[in-house]
Amino acid sequence: MNHPIRSRVLPLVLLLTGAAVILLPFVWMLSLAFKPRDEIFTTTIEFLPSQIEWSNFTFALTETDIPLFLWNGLVMVTGILFFQILFAVPCAYALAQRRFAGRGLLFGLVVAALLVPFHVTAIPIFLGFAQIGILNTMWALILPFIQTAFGIFLFRQFFAQLPADLFDAARVDGMSETAIVWRIAFPLALPAATAFAIFSVTAHWNDLFWPLIATTDPNLATPPRGILYFRDQESGDNVGPLMAAAVIVTAPLVIAFLLAQRKFIQGIAAGGLKG
Amino acid sequence: MSAILELRDVTRRFGDKTVLDKVSITIAQGSFTALLGASGCGKSTSLRIMAGLDRPTSGEVLLGGSDVSGLSAYERNVAMVFQSYALYPHLTVAQNIALPLTMRHLSALGRVPFLGSLVPGAAEARRTILSKVGEAAESLGLAELLDRKPGQLSGGQKQRVALGRALVRDPALFLLDEPLSNLDARLRIRMRSEISALHRRTGKAFVYVTHDQTEAMAMADQIVVMIGGDVAQAGAPRELYERPANRDVAAFIGHNAINFLEPGDGIDVDGAIVGLRPEDLAPAATGALTGRLESAEYLGSEIVLSLRSAKGTEIRAIAPADFDVPAPGSEVRLGYAPHKLHLFDAATGVRRRTTP
């Protein structure tokens, strides 16, 4: 009776400590976002504000460019995801279900490309974009990411599990290869697509590196880039609205992840699909 | 009867491996042809070439008398039923059956949900499709299941949906690739008669790939036995059973595996290998063949005897159910009718023209 409880205590304590360490900055952010200005800088540590202060949020949403940054982030992330899916799904289908010379080599290259970090190609891409003059446009934020070795790899692994008969049946039924990709393969790959979408959206929503390099126009700033402007403007003395802005920027991801959690885990596990 | 489909000298190689070697097969209009053979004999490849899912390395494919080598599966208007059923898991039964029709009758724009109903003619086409799907589902007993997804169906029901999808488009030819091999034995026999009934009702030619000779014998009016990428023999089931063209075909056809007796086993005809089916061999007091009894299986309607000749060759014979089985090891005399002997050349295995 005593034993099972004791054996659980240690892992539980460790997990709680770990969770506390990871969550602390978020809790602090939330706490600051809801605190009145005079409670932010105090000598004691108070997690709970004496009263809920919404003015930080109203300030962030009305007096600053946060809504614009959110909009920019949304456009960029949707654009990237749209093109990634548009190109990765047919590529993955071809690699998994079509036979052609050099298929193995091509897939090997995709896998190799997984190993190349974006930072390696960032400078050549920057120079190229400068040449064709699309720096400081939304396209400069979207185009570098539309080819995704990771996406091709993820979808290919998924399509490779599907029985070849299924695609032959579709051919006999009169579907073109393009129709097969979008009407048969893609709907079946929705769990994988959800997982991929979360990876992609999180990575690009949070990305500061590339927006910092490719854009200088404040009107094109994505949320992380925007918060940077915001901090500069306010020189750090307006922490409340800054934290409120941070909450607003973080919230969409957290909510999206919670909603798609089950599909996400399904997609990662990419379990067998029975027809 | 005229031929609906013809393979002429079709060869198919995958790399160095020749899967089909100058295969010629003729499918008559309205016939039921079984492509029979062990796995890897090229029967499925032949079917895929007929369907247009695979192309021959050389040779011709004629459909209704004209060369269709360049046409896709869809353009040939053949229907195919797959061993794994190949139903679209994300579509309902109704959508699965309707898919070939939506591809045919609705333009790309008309297939878009909601928006599609604005396209001129789309509503009309949708009504036609719906009634055809209803008809096909009704005839296969699927009317109750139209809103289900394939994952919620039993094996037999999935097979019916696959048949429905083939049926609904009114094809020139039905191609079936081992459609029953994933079903249990009882269901297989029932589906067998359903497929036969479907064949009679449609009056279209069926090509049926199987490795099960019972299925082929029971359903087909022409059996094409394929061995090692070659057509070993093509003909009516009775012809294959009564006059197998060579040893391999004789071994393949027939419920009970045929006995092959070498010279010295008791029946000597000019040094030929003698094929004699167990059902043509029974204990007889004055029988010409003798063997030592090894075991006996009582099956109710008959008793299957396993014997061994003096030379050591295994001989199987079938005794009537009331046969008094002697103790193992005792000598049993077996009788047969001379015209039941099949003579095969000892070297080539080819059937000899003359039977004694």
Side-chain angles (χ1 to χ4, degrees):
Chain A
M1 191 67 199
N2 216 354
H3 206 72
I5 293 181
R6 225 179 20 190
S7 68
R8 274 191 196 177
V9 167
L10 188 66
L12 199 63
V13 167
L14 285 178
L15 283 174
L16 283 175
T17 321
V21 169
I22 289 169
L23 286 176
L24 187 67
F26 291 94
V27 173
W28 195 237
M29 172 182 82
L30 269 176
S31 161
L32 290 183
F34 286 106
K35 273 181 183 169
R37 185 180 258 247
D38 53 349
E39 280 179 40
I40 291 174
F41 291 105
T42 53
T43 46
T44 53
I45 294 173
E46 288 289 335
F47 277 106
L48 291 178
S50 61
Q51 67 183 78
I52 298 289
E53 184 61 62
W54 290 105
S55 69
N56 290 332
F57 286 90
T58 27
F59 183 87
L61 285 172
T62 54
E63 304 294 312
T64 73
D65 284 335
I66 285 287
L68 174 70
F69 302 154
L70 289 175
W71 172 249
N72 286 340
L74 185 70
V75 170
M76 177 187 73
V77 158
T78 332
I80 289 175
L81 186 62
F82 174 79
F83 286 110
Q84 282 180 332
I85 299 261
L86 186 70
F87 295 125
V89 170
C91 289
Y93 169 77
L95 282 174
Q97 295 284 352
R98 302 276 306 167
R99 324 228 147 255
F100 52 90
R103 183 173 79 149
L105 179 72
L106 217 52
F107 184 55
L109 287 176
V110 170
V111 175
L114 281 173
L115 300 173
V116 181
F118 175 70
H119 309 82
V120 172
T121 49
I123 303 225
I125 290 175
F126 177 83
L127 295 176
F129 281 10
Q131 283 288 320
I132 52 176
I134 58 166
L135 285 175
N136 249 335
T137 64
M138 189 48 92
W139 287 112
L141 294 177
I142 292 175
L143 284 178
F145 304 106
I146 61 175
Q147 34 71 29
T148 156
F150 173 66
I152 295 175
F153 179 76
L154 191 76
F155 283 111
R156 194 222 83 122
Q157 296 310 81
F158 194 87
F159 291 150
Q161 294 176 9
L162 297 175
D165 274 0
L166 197 60
F167 302 108
D168 278 340
R171 286 179 197 125
V172 174
D173 283 346
M175 286 194 186
S176 64
E177 296 298 308
T178 316
I180 291 175
V181 167
W182 296 114
R183 289 170 57 97
I184 306 293
F186 183 60
L188 291 176
L190 270 185
T194 312
F196 175 71
I198 290 184
F199 277 127
S200 163
V201 167
T202 320
H204 296 298
W205 182 270
N206 290 336
D207 185 28
L208 178 60
F209 175 76
W210 183 248
L212 209 51
I213 292 178
T215 58
T216 46
D217 183 356
N219 289 323
L220 282 172
T222 58
R225 180 80 188 91
I227 285 182
L228 227 57
Y229 280 121
F230 190 29
R231 208 192 56 191
D232 292 347
Q233 285 164 17
E234 309 301 329
S235 311
D237 69 333
N238 212 352
V239 172
L242 177 64
M243 286 301 137
V247 169
I248 294 168
V249 167
T250 320
L253 286 186
V254 175
I255 292 168
F257 181 78
L258 289 180
L259 289 179
Q261 199 181 15
R262 205 140 57 97
K263 282 232 164 180
F264 178 69
I265 288 162
Q266 258 179 29
I268 293 297
L273 186 108
K274 285 183 189 137
Chain B
M1 226 187 294
S2 64
I4 175 81
L5 183 92
E6 239 182 298
L7 299 190
R8 274 193 201 154
D9 292 332
V10 165
T11 298
R12 178 69 171 105
R13 283 189 211 95
F14 293 105
D16 296 338
K17 202 165 165 275
T18 303
V19 178
L20 293 178
D21 191 12
K22 289 201 177 269
V23 164
S24 297
I25 297 174
T26 306
I27 312 290
Q29 197 100 45
S31 70
F32 196 121
T33 302
L35 299 185
L36 177 64
S39 60
C41 71
K43 56 192 193 302
S44 286
T45 307
S46 305
L47 197 75
R48 290 173 58 81
I49 286 175
M50 290 177 186
L53 290 171
D54 201 351
R55 299 280 149 97
T57 311
S58 67
E60 280 186 304
V61 183
L62 303 177
L63 187 66
S66 48
D67 189 4
V68 292
S69 301
L71 296 186
S72 73
Y74 175 64
E75 290 162 332
R76 295 180 190 191
N77 193 25
V78 296
M80 187 145 168
V81 176
F82 295 85
Q83 179 178 358
S84 63
Y85 318 124
L87 302 178
Y88 310 117
H90 60 301
L91 301 180
T92 64
V93 168
Q95 289 167 327
N96 260 285
I97 298 178
L99 198 106
L101 295 177
T102 51
M103 294 314 291
R104 185 187 299 171
H105 293 298
L106 292 176
S107 62
L109 199 57
R111 292 197 292 266
V112 179
F114 308 115
L115 187 71
S117 44
L118 303 175
V119 177
E124 169 95 35
R126 266 173 208 280
R127 264 198 300 281
T128 323
I129 291 169
L130 215 60
S131 78
K132 281 193 178 173
V133 170
E135 256 171 60
E138 194 71 47
S139 73
L140 290 161
L142 290 169
E144 310 289 309
L145 306 173
L146 283 174
D147 294 327
R148 300 245 186 114
K149 293 268 175 78
Q152 299 165 290
L153 302 180
S154 71
Q157 289 167 335
K158 282 184 198 169
Q159 189 57 74
R160 285 206 186 89
V161 176
L163 285 172
R165 194 171 61 184
L167 191 62
V168 76
R169 45 193 293 204
D170 194 25
L173 184 69
F174 286 83
L175 305 171
L176 302 98
D177 189 2
E178 308 222 17
L180 304 185
S181 58
N182 284 354
L183 302 178
D184 64 63
R186 198 177 287 265
L187 199 56
R188 210 177 304 161
I189 292 174
R190 211 174 80 209
M191 289 302 291
R192 213 152 80 186
S193 55
E194 278 190 33
I195 290 178
S196 291
L198 197 66
H199 172 238
R200 280 192 300 276
R201 200 166 67 230
T202 58
K204 295 282 163 55
F206 276 47
V207 181
Y208 187 102
V209 162
T210 180
H211 61 267
D212 179 351
Q213 65 92 25
T214 325
E215 252 174 38
M217 297 286 274
M219 301 165 78
D221 44 37
Q222 181 192 214
I223 297 179
V224 178
V225 180
M226 299 192 65
I227 293 169
D230 253 324
V231 173
Q233 190 177 6
R238 183 178 286 269
E239 191 187 329
L240 261 62
Y241 180 78
E242 291 179 351
R243 297 184 56 82
N246 58 43
R247 267 187 76 154
D248 294 329
V249 175
F252 216 94
I253 299 287
H255 178 63
N256 297 301
I258 193 168
N259 299 306
F260 289 114
L261 303 175
E262 288 167 18
D265 275 328
I267 306 174
D268 287 306
V269 189
D270 308 335
I273 301 270
V274 174
L276 187 51
R277 297 193 184 277
E279 54 267 38
D280 295 331
L281 195 58
T286 57
L289 192 63
T290 59
R292 208 167 280 283
L293 184 66
E294 291 209 319
S295 65
E297 293 169 9
Y298 176 73
L299 298 180
S301 59
E302 62 196 23
I303 302 173
V304 180
L305 305 176
S306 290
L307 309 103
R308 213 162 272 282
S309 75
K311 208 179 144 196
T313 311
E314 195 193 7
I315 303 172
R316 285 158 69 82
I318 293 190
D322 57 1
F323 177 67
D324 196 7
V325 183
S330 40
E331 193 103 313
V332 178
R333 297 192 81 80
L334 301 164
Y336 55 88
H339 69 275
K340 298 285 192 187
L341 295 183
H342 306 278
L343 301 184
F344 302 106
D345 190 275
T348 62
V350 175
R351 183 185 189 86
R352 287 202 182 167
R353 283 280 160 232
T354 50
T355 339

